[in-house]
Amino acid sequence: MGQKASPGGIEERALELAGRIVQAYAPAAWTDARVEAWIDWAGGETDLGAAIGEFAETLTRRAQAKGLVKEPAERARFRDALTSAFLSGTIAIGAAPQSQAPTVVDAARPGAVAALRELTATFRGEQAAAAAAVELGVRLQAVMDAVLRCEGEAEACADPARNPSLARAAHAARQAGASSAVILEAVSLARAGESEWRAAAP
């Protein structure tokens, strides 16, 4: 199929999306894969020049509300530069980060060494907590298994004094840091018919 380019660098092209052919409007230099990605970003809108222009206008209004651009000419330059940057691929749009931004330590400031040590200690603590959670989960699963695999009476199977396997599993869980309350919770879950100790890692 033929392609029709506009003076602004936006061209019309036939593109196959979800098993159907659509007419898309995008920069001539963009690959089909890139066009598809931006159409997905635009929620199915195929006129990417218009979609990006509207988005740039929205960002410009936000910048103006924050006092970053004030004069009409300055506002227009900001919007046009932003639109051009999107269309040329100088900048792109991504989803908002779901995690906290990394902490930056200025090596030249007083106390930088102490701050770096504190960050390192925090990281080590997080790693240790994650590893401990996994190990504790394994031990508590063993507690549940000791109850579930017991072939005696329900009361006896849930009693460490009468179920040696449970006694050993509970002792191992306690050594891993489990409290008596958590061990009893695992026993109660098993008695209620649950078969898996489920806990999300920190």
Side-chain angles (χ1 to χ4, degrees):
M1 292 189 180
Q3 295 181 341
K4 180 181 174 183
S6 72
I10 300 294
E11 71 170 10
E12 178 184 358
R13 73 175 79 179
L15 201 65
E16 184 176 353
L17 291 177
R20 63 189 181 90
I21 303 297
V22 300
Q23 296 303 122
Y25 298 85
W30 286 13
T31 64
D32 286 350
R34 187 173 183 180
V35 174
E36 289 181 26
W38 277 85
I39 289 176
D40 184 62
W41 163 82
E45 172 61 55
T46 57
D47 188 346
L48 294 179
I52 290 174
E54 290 176 7
F55 184 69
E57 176 62 29
T58 298
L59 294 181
T60 302
R61 286 197 299 268
R62 292 178 182 175
Q64 187 175 23
K66 291 179 179 293
L68 300 177
V69 291
K70 298 177 181 179
E71 300 299 326
E74 184 183 13
R75 185 187 190 283
R77 285 195 300 271
F78 179 85
R79 183 196 59 228
D80 293 346
L82 194 58
T83 302
S84 177
F86 281 130
L87 294 176
S88 67
T90 304
I91 59 176
I93 306 165
Q98 300 301 309
S99 58
Q100 295 181 351
T103 302
V104 178
V105 177
D106 184 356
R109 75 170 189 179
V113 174
L116 186 58
R117 286 175 178 167
E118 186 65 27
L119 285 173
T120 302
T122 300
F123 174 76
R124 288 173 180 164
E126 291 172 350
Q127 295 298 302
V134 172
E135 179 61 25
L136 195 57
V138 171
R139 302 292 179 91
L140 291 169
Q141 182 64 56
V143 170
M144 294 183 68
D145 292 342
V147 176
L148 293 168
R149 293 172 182 169
C150 178
E151 297 180 355
E153 296 180 357
E155 291 292 336
C157 288
D159 185 357
R162 292 186 284 174
N163 183 348
S165 295
L166 175 57
R168 289 191 295 271
H171 178 69
R174 195 170 290 110
Q175 285 187 318
S179 65
S180 297
V182 174
I183 294 173
L184 288 174
E185 181 183 358
V187 172
S188 298
L189 286 173
R191 290 196 64 183
E194 296 288 337
S195 61
E196 181 183 2
W197 176 264
R198 301 187 64 185

